[in-house]
Amino acid sequence: MFAAVLAKGKKMNSNIKGFVYGIATSATFGLIPLFTLPLMAKGMQFDSILFYRFLFASIVLVCIMASKKESLRIDKKDIPVLVLLGFFYTASAMFLFWGYNFMSVGIATTLHFTYPIFVTLIMLLFFREKTSWVTLLAIGLAICGVARLSIIEGEMKLSVLGVFIVLLSAVGYALYITTVNKSRVHTMTGRKLTFYVFIVSTILFSIKASTNEGIQPIPDMMSLINLILLAIVPTVISNITLVLAVHNIGGTLTAVLGAMEPVTAVFVGVLVFGEPFTFNLAIGILLIIIAVTMIILSKSIQKALRGLRRALFHL
């Protein structure tokens, strides 16, 4: 009896930890604009910002791994996959930051949050994974949400190019997630995988910056602090808490808690940068969050509805 109560207590404690880690993951990721917009206001290009972000994040990660005596050794066969993952992650970060030039950070982050829908579409189109009416309804709601954010009183209020660019960031992240799950590196530890992805991203952004104005020097001490915080809070911490959340409550609930990402970004935009919070923005965000949650919980929803239908027929 005592053992059962103890086991139940441990499970509850694990669940509480998991929810805290899950909320921390999405909330910290939603803080990207808080550290990024001041850097852009100083004249820094996103190529340089992202170069420093991933460089500093790589340094922090390798220090954490060294303190835990984790090996950095990888199989040569993993290198092409890690390069591809780095490319997808780089593309996602680049398009999201580019999107900040076209719209508020809240709307950009909300559009980026549609990535689970693109994961579903990729699995459907390329891996022939079966879909359901719940998934199709969710995709329809997401389209309505994007339209609500973009179109007001029949007029396009957001730049079509801007919406397209930010949706590309969602596609890039969806390709990253799908590749992790379907490739040989899915068994690699989270920190090691993230470290090599960050290294590839650092190299790619240094190359991209060199084709433009080169890597810009850090303007001042406040910018250095923002870059370090950008590397630590929404990059290293969010990735570490993500792994801990999945370990404690599973991937599904962790993904549902990801709804805090656009909510946090909207609050940062409104409270810190004075961006307007409108009825259309609220409805658009709500529709997209509902759609993504339906995608994540589609199997559970179908199972619950089948149980309800059986219960009604047996009355």
Side-chain angles (χ1 to χ4, degrees):
M1 181 70 178
F2 178 74
V5 172
L6 186 63
K8 187 175 182 181
K10 285 183 178 179
K11 184 177 181 181
M12 185 178 295
N13 186 45
S14 179
N15 286 340
I16 292 171
K17 284 183 179 179
F19 278 104
V20 171
Y21 288 136
I23 292 171
T25 297
S26 54
T28 51
F29 187 83
L31 291 175
I32 286 177
L34 182 63
F35 309 117
T36 302
L37 294 188
L39 294 168
M40 294 173 73
K42 290 282 186 178
M44 289 193 73
Q45 301 296 318
F46 60 81
D47 288 348
S48 294
I49 294 172
L50 289 167
F51 166 79
Y52 287 118
R53 175 193 180 188
F54 292 119
L55 175 63
F56 293 160
S58 299
I59 294 170
V60 172
L61 261 181
V62 80
C63 290
I64 292 172
M65 293 176 71
S67 68
K68 294 182 177 293
K69 297 180 180 179
E70 293 183 30
S71 173
L72 288 172
R73 185 172 297 174
I74 57 172
D75 193 308
K76 289 182 180 179
K77 293 179 181 178
D78 293 332
I79 294 175
V81 181
L82 291 170
V83 171
L84 182 64
L85 287 171
F87 175 80
F88 288 146
Y89 202 91
T90 298
S92 178
M94 181 185 70
F95 286 125
L96 178 59
F97 275 48
W98 191 5
Y100 290 158
N101 292 316
F102 296 90
M103 63 190 73
S104 71
V105 295
I107 293 177
T109 307
T110 302
L111 292 176
H112 175 78
F113 185 62
T114 59
Y115 67 82
I117 294 168
F118 288 107
V119 170
T120 301
L121 290 173
I122 291 168
M123 297 302 292
L124 173 65
L125 296 173
F126 295 100
F127 297 97
R128 304 299 181 187
E129 189 174 274
K130 292 182 179 179
T131 188
S132 66
W133 65 269
V134 176
T135 299
L136 296 175
L137 176 61
I139 291 172
L141 282 175
I143 293 170
C144 291
V146 172
R148 190 72 177 181
L149 290 175
S150 309
I151 303 170
I152 303 174
E153 296 177 355
E155 294 184 14
M156 191 74 179
K157 295 296 182 181
L158 293 181
S159 161
V160 176
L161 176 61
V163 172
F164 178 71
I165 285 170
V166 179
L167 288 178
L168 282 179
S169 79
V171 172
Y173 198 63
L175 288 168
Y176 172 78
I177 292 172
T178 306
T179 305
V180 168
N181 290 332
K182 293 293 183 180
S183 68
R184 56 179 284 121
V185 301
H186 75 279
T187 56
M188 190 179 291
T189 61
R191 274 192 289 261
K192 185 189 291 187
L193 173 63
T194 303
F195 170 74
Y196 281 107
V197 168
F198 285 175
I199 287 293
V200 173
S201 295
T202 303
I203 294 169
L204 289 175
F205 277 116
S206 68
I207 294 170
K208 189 173 184 305
S210 67
T211 63
N212 193 6
E213 299 177 3
I215 298 169
Q216 296 170 287
I218 300 172
D220 50 36
M221 182 57 68
M222 195 63 221
S223 297
L224 175 61
I225 292 171
N226 277 321
L227 284 168
I228 292 172
L229 290 174
L230 178 65
I232 293 174
V233 180
T235 310
V236 174
I237 290 178
S238 63
N239 275 279
I240 291 174
T241 53
L242 173 65
V243 173
L244 293 171
V246 171
H247 177 73
N248 283 277
I249 58 174
T252 300
L253 283 176
T254 301
V256 171
L257 292 173
M260 285 294 295
E261 290 176 22
V263 173
T264 304
V266 168
F267 273 107
V268 168
V270 172
L271 298 177
V272 180
F273 301 108
E275 295 175 350
F277 185 78
T278 64
F279 178 75
N280 283 293
L281 176 61
I283 295 299
I285 290 172
L286 182 61
L287 286 173
I288 288 174
I289 289 175
I290 290 172
V292 171
T293 304
M294 285 176 65
I295 286 282
I296 295 165
L297 298 178
S298 60
K299 291 182 181 178
S300 299
I301 292 171
Q302 290 179 81
K303 185 178 179 180
L305 289 175
R306 283 196 297 268
L308 179 61
R309 187 167 58 246
R310 283 196 297 268
L312 290 173
F313 284 147
H314 285 85
L315 285 178

